[in-house]
Amino acid sequence: VVAVIVYIIASKGIKWTLKIAKKTMERHGVDTGVIQFLTAIIKYALYLVLIMTILGVFGVATTSIVAAVGSAGVAVGLALQGSLANLAGGVLILLLKPFVVGDYIIQGGNEGTVYEISIFYTKLKTGDNKVIVVPNGVLSNNTLVNVSHMDRRRVDIVVGIGYEADIKTAKEIMYQLAQKDESRLPEEDAIVYVDNLGASSVDIGVRLWVNAADYWTVKWRLTESIKYAMDENHISIPYQQIDVQIKQ
C-alpha cells in the first residue's frame, strides 16, 4: 500500500516537475530541441529515482542494486554501442547545433523538416507528411545539408535552346523575367549566362536571390514563365529524340 501511494504521488510530482521545467526553459528562450532532449533526460532520471525509492520501501538494499548495475555497466555498454553512439550524437547536435527544430535538412537519401530531437533519434517530416526517424549518431557523424539555415537562397535555372536560336534574345527574355519577379531581392540583380555548349543545345542559365521561404515558389513560377516566353518568341527548346530505322 505504501509503495502504491508513493508511486501515485511521485508520478504526479514528476509530471508537475516536467511541466514546470519545460515552461521555465521556454520562458528563457531555450531552443526547442534542447527542451525536448532535457525533458526526456529529466523524466527518465526521476522515474529511476522513483523505482529505487519503491524498492527501498519493500526493504530491498538499493546499494547492492547500484553495485550490481555498475558491474553490469560494461556488458550493457558493449551491447548498446549503437544506442550510446546515438545518445552522444544527440548531445553533440544540441551543443554544436548543425540544425534545430524547424530546419529543413538533407542527409543521404533522407530529407525533411526537423520537428523533434529526442535522446536517440531525430524525427523529420517530409513534404508529403511522412515521418523519417534518423539515428542521432548518423546525423552527427556524417555530412548533411541544412537547407533553411540561411535567410536567403539563390535560384538557379538552366534552359537549353537550339543552336539555330538567337542567344541574345533568349538571354534578354530570361533576364527580364527574373528581374521582374516579385520575390527577387531588390539589392541583388539577376544574372544570365551561357552555361554550356551541349551536344544538341546551348544551355543558358539564370540566377537570382530570394528569401529562403520563397525558393520553390520562385523556381516553379520562373521555369513555367520561361517556357511560355520562349514559345511566344519562337525559340525552340530541344528535347531528346530517337530515330528508328527499319531495314527490309
Side-chain angles (χ1 to χ4, degrees):
V1 173
V2 175
V4 172
I5 295 174
V6 169
Y7 177 80
I8 293 174
I9 296 175
S11 296
K12 292 183 179 180
I14 289 174
K15 292 180 181 178
W16 180 80
T17 301
L18 292 174
K19 185 181 295 186
I20 295 298
K22 186 176 180 180
K23 288 184 178 180
T24 302
M25 288 186 284
E26 289 176 347
R27 188 165 57 250
H28 287 80
V30 179
D31 181 74
T32 304
V34 177
I35 293 175
Q36 294 172 347
F37 189 88
L38 292 180
T39 301
I41 292 291
I42 295 171
K43 178 181 177 181
Y44 294 140
L46 291 177
Y47 271 106
L48 178 60
V49 173
L50 174 59
I51 292 172
M52 299 297 288
T53 303
I54 292 176
L55 290 175
V57 171
F58 280 104
V60 178
T62 56
T63 54
S64 60
I65 295 177
V66 172
V69 171
S71 62
V74 175
V76 173
L78 292 174
L80 300 176
Q81 287 185 37
S83 297
L84 293 177
N86 292 334
L87 175 61
V91 174
L92 289 175
I93 289 171
L94 294 175
L95 290 177
L96 302 179
K97 293 187 177 180
F99 58 85
V100 296
V101 173
D103 282 350
Y104 191 96
I105 65 172
I106 302 173
Q107 194 286 312
N110 302 314
E111 62 176 286
T113 302
V114 179
Y115 81 94
E116 181 180 344
I117 303 174
S118 63
I119 296 178
F120 300 107
Y121 299 95
T122 292
K123 294 182 179 180
L124 309 179
K125 185 180 292 183
T126 64
D128 54 351
N129 210 32
K130 294 185 292 188
V131 175
I132 301 176
V133 181
V134 185
N136 288 334
V138 173
L139 295 175
S140 62
N141 292 309
N142 291 278
T143 302
L144 61 85
V145 179
N146 189 332
V147 177
S148 56
H149 182 71
M150 306 302 291
D151 295 332
R152 307 190 309 166
R153 288 191 66 185
R154 191 182 70 193
V155 178
D156 291 78
I157 299 176
V158 177
V159 178
I161 64 172
Y163 271 91
E164 73 282 357
D166 182 50
I167 294 178
K168 291 183 178 179
T169 301
K171 289 178 66 177
E172 183 62 25
I173 291 171
M174 294 175 67
Y175 176 78
Q176 291 299 330
L177 289 173
Q179 197 72 5
K180 293 178 182 178
D181 192 277
E182 60 186 21
S183 298
R184 180 185 65 84
L185 297 178
E187 64 271 17
E188 298 283 354
D189 288 335
I191 299 176
V192 181
Y193 56 94
V194 176
D195 183 66
N196 182 46
L197 300 177
S200 59
S201 66
V202 178
D203 298 331
I204 300 178
V206 60
R207 293 175 174 175
L208 68 157
W209 287 90
V210 299
N211 291 319
D214 298 328
Y215 177 84
W216 287 110
T217 302
V218 174
K219 187 176 180 66
W220 295 331
R221 179 174 63 225
L222 191 56
T223 300
E224 182 178 352
S225 299
I226 290 174
K227 175 62 171 67
Y228 284 132
M230 293 297 186
D231 290 345
E232 291 175 0
N233 289 272
H234 308 290
I235 297 177
S236 63
I237 300 178
Y239 53 91
Q240 186 177 8
Q241 300 183 30
I242 300 176
D243 293 332
V244 180
Q245 296 182 354
I246 301 176
K247 293 184 180 181
Q248 297 181 347

